[in-house]
Amino acid sequence: AQSVTQLGSHVSVSEGALVLLRCNYSSSVPPYLFWYVQYPNQGLQLLLKYTSAATLVKGINGFEAEFKKSETSFHLTKPSAHMRDAAEYFCAVSSPSGGSYIPTFGRGTSLIVHP
Amino acid sequence: KAGVTQTPRYLIKTRGQQVTLSCSPISGHRSVSWYQQTPGQGLQFLFEYFSETQRNKGNFPGRFSGRQFSNSRSEMNVSTLELGDSALYLCASSFSGGAQETQYFGPGTRLLVL
């Protein structure tokens, strides 16, 4: 069984401030981990993914995430928030099932960026 | 390369009706997955198709069904609609559904059941 917990349904930051979105997972096998972003009225777009290579993963739009096995965490960070980063962010864990890999998503964190 | 397309984008139905949603994956992608997104339950996996075969199914009632055609296009059908079926239905495609593959999502079909 696998699950994802995203701490905080809403995170509010000022423009230029550090962004930290938290994600903790549980998985019975080594996981693959993903962060997706969803802008209003759009589908999900992959920000970055961890696939057991480097533990620090760099993604698009200046985001990065660090896989910490001991803490079962995969928190998403960005040094300086922009107004355009305001969106819904989803963490997902993926493990094998029936010959393919089905992701389980967290409930999402809405990032609010203040001018 | 064209992205994942879903039709229609918006749909209004009444309880008891049925609905069919369509998804065209990225060219060359053979795995298509469907998700239901609601404010209350978040993103939930419905089913995945690969080479016209349902490979995985989520925990949804039998009213939810799908199929995939030889060109990898997929449809999902919901029969006897209920108010709780109101949601954003997302389709995602990948080359083969492998662990490290990126899933590419369409913009979704927003279904409102009255």
Side-chain angles (χ1 to χ4, degrees), chain A residues 1-47:
Chain A
Q2 59 189 24
S3 66
V4 173
T5 301
Q6 290 185 241
L7 295 174
S9 59
H10 294 84
V11 169
S12 181
V13 300
S14 298
E15 193 172 20
L18 171 72
V19 175
L20 171 60
L21 304 182
R22 300 177 187 273
C23 172
N24 288 88
Y25 70 92
S26 70
S27 175
S28 56
V29 297
Y32 296 98
L33 296 158
F34 306 80
W35 274 101
Y36 289 87
V37 61
Q38 185 178 33
Y39 298 101
N41 298 315
Q42 294 186 29
L44 276 68
Q45 179 185 7
L46 181 71
L47 277 175

Side-chain angles (χ1 to χ4, degrees), chain A residues 24-88:
Chain A
N24 288 88
Y25 70 92
S26 70
S27 175
S28 56
V29 297
Y32 296 98
L33 296 158
F34 306 80
W35 274 101
Y36 289 87
V37 61
Q38 185 178 33
Y39 298 101
N41 298 315
Q42 294 186 29
L44 276 68
Q45 179 185 7
L46 181 71
L47 277 175
L48 49 80
K49 60 182 176 182
Y50 167 76
T51 57
S52 74
T55 56
L56 182 61
V57 183
K58 294 188 183 298
I60 62 172
N61 301 339
F63 285 94
E64 63 181 37
E66 185 172 9
F67 172 69
K68 292 187 177 181
K69 185 178 179 181
S70 61
E71 299 177 9
T72 61
S73 69
F74 191 57
H75 301 331
L76 181 71
T77 61
K78 181 174 181 178
S80 176
H82 293 275
M83 296 295 291
R84 62 176 177 265
D85 295 328
E88 191 84 12

Side-chain angles (χ1 to χ4, degrees), chain A residues 38 43 49 97-98 100-101 107, chain B residues 37 40 48 55-56 100 102 106:
Chain A
Q38 185 178 33
K49 60 182 176 182
S97 174
S100 61
Y101 288 77
R107 297 300 296 272
Chain B
Q37 185 177 22
E48 185 230 359
R55 195 159 57 172
N56 282 289
Q100 302 187 29
T102 298

